[in-house]
Amino acid sequence: MDRQPVLTQISTMDALMSGGYDPVVPVKDLHRYGDFGIGTYERLDGEMVMLNDTLFQILLDGTARTASIPDSTPFAVITRFQPDTVLVPGKGMPLDSLKNGLGRILAARGVPCAVRISGSFENIRTRSVPPQAKPYPPLDEVVASRQKITDTAASTGDAVGTWFPPCMKNINVPGFHMHFISGDRKTGGHLFDCVLAGGRVELQTIGQFHMIMPPFAAVPAGADTDPMKKTTERAE
Ligand SMILES: [Zn+2]
């Protein structure tokens, strides 16, 4: 049996960017692909965090709840988290500095990585998005006009996410994409900024990539017109 770590992506980034918010995989089936990851929910109803095999849904107001079984996801990235590297950064590290340092390590590996940052955080800026109605607007429009930003002064918690190499820029967002969930698992969101007051970083190098294609009906017309470059830059 192949024991290499595998990163499974539900749907394509182009489909999501173009408004592909219809169900692709029921959340109850995500556990087949791992216990760790990020994504969103049907109709773009909030941000997804999967941590220790528990799925959280972070609603527009930044509150988190465990995902309910009837839910589905239009887009997610999931793996079985078995970190190969643990680092303890200096205290009071801004997220940008942390990303720069980690990015150099990960660029040398050149393959996707799963990233978990655990500890005490300050100046946490997150966002979430509300569920959309059909006809679904593209993701950049939702982010530009309907996202809600939440600022939290301090919290323990986990930042969960991925790093993709530049050579995969048409498959997922190159660089880091992190979602935050508080230590009490009650708040979180797509992570824009924070300071890691103290904690550790775990990295998992992943050499295999598995994609679950959306059914044709779930891909909006226009998803083949290459809206991706500008929309990923604006949305992430
Ligand atoms: Zn996100």
Side-chain angles (χ1 to χ4, degrees), residues 47 177 179 190:
E47 310 281 349
H177 183 178
H179 287 183
H190 172 101

Side-chain angles (χ1 to χ4, degrees), residues 21 42-45 129-137 142 146:
Y21 313 144
E42 181 180 344
R43 297 180 296 133
L44 204 67
D45 191 4
V129 284
Q132 301 300 302
K134 289 189 175 182
Y136 293 135
V142 177
R146 297 176 205 175

Side-chain angles (χ1 to χ4, degrees), residues 3-227:
R3 308 292 290 184
Q4 283 283 324
V6 178
L7 193 65
T8 297
Q9 180 169 310
I10 314 296
S11 190
T12 74
M13 185 57 83
D14 287 282
L16 180 73
M17 290 292 168
S18 306
Y21 313 144
D22 276 340
V24 177
V25 172
V27 295
K28 66 180 171 49
D29 293 345
L30 288 181
H31 304 280
R32 290 182 196 168
Y33 307 111
D35 56 12
F36 178 98
I38 56 174
T40 186
Y41 290 90
E42 181 180 344
R43 297 180 296 133
L44 204 67
D45 191 4
E47 310 281 349
M48 174 190 289
V49 172
M50 191 186 207
L51 183 59
N52 296 329
D53 211 27
T54 301
L55 271 161
F56 299 96
Q57 179 180 21
I58 296 145
L59 304 173
L60 181 64
D61 65 359
T63 59
R65 64 184 187 189
T66 51
S68 52
I69 288 303
D71 276 345
S72 290
T73 180
F75 185 91
V77 185
I78 305 289
T79 194
R80 198 159 298 287
F81 193 54
Q82 294 170 318
D84 52 57
T85 306
V86 179
L87 302 166
V88 179
K91 291 186 188 306
M93 182 84 76
L95 184 61
D96 280 349
S97 306
L98 199 52
K99 284 179 172 176
N100 284 339
L102 295 173
R104 280 195 291 275
I105 296 171
L106 298 178
R109 298 183 180 186
V111 296
C113 286
V115 181
R116 177 179 182 180
I117 308 171
S118 316
S120 303
F121 297 80
E122 293 172 352
N123 302 335
I124 307 155
R125 172 162 283 201
T126 54
R127 74 110 192 275
S128 191
V129 284
Q132 301 300 302
K134 289 189 175 182
Y136 293 135
L139 187 60
D140 66 325
E141 274 185 41
V142 177
V143 166
S145 61
R146 297 176 205 175
Q147 73 174 0
K148 183 170 183 298
I149 290 176
T150 300
D151 287 308
T152 306
S155 174
T156 61
D158 296 87
V160 169
T162 54
W163 180 92
F164 277 85
C167 66
M168 293 180 77
K169 66 180 182 298
N170 288 331
I171 293 173
N172 203 310
V173 180
F176 292 93
H177 183 178
M178 307 294 295
H179 287 183
F180 181 77
I181 182 91
S182 62
D184 63 8
R185 309 305 188 219
K186 289 184 175 167
T187 60
H190 172 101
L191 183 62
F192 283 128
D193 202 8
C194 66
V195 172
L196 181 63
R200 66 178 189 165
V201 177
E202 295 168 286
L203 306 173
Q204 179 182 18
T205 307
I206 302 176
Q208 293 194 64
F209 185 82
H210 174 217
M211 182 178 276
I212 298 182
M213 296 301 294
F216 176 74
V219 180
D224 59 349
T225 54
D226 196 18

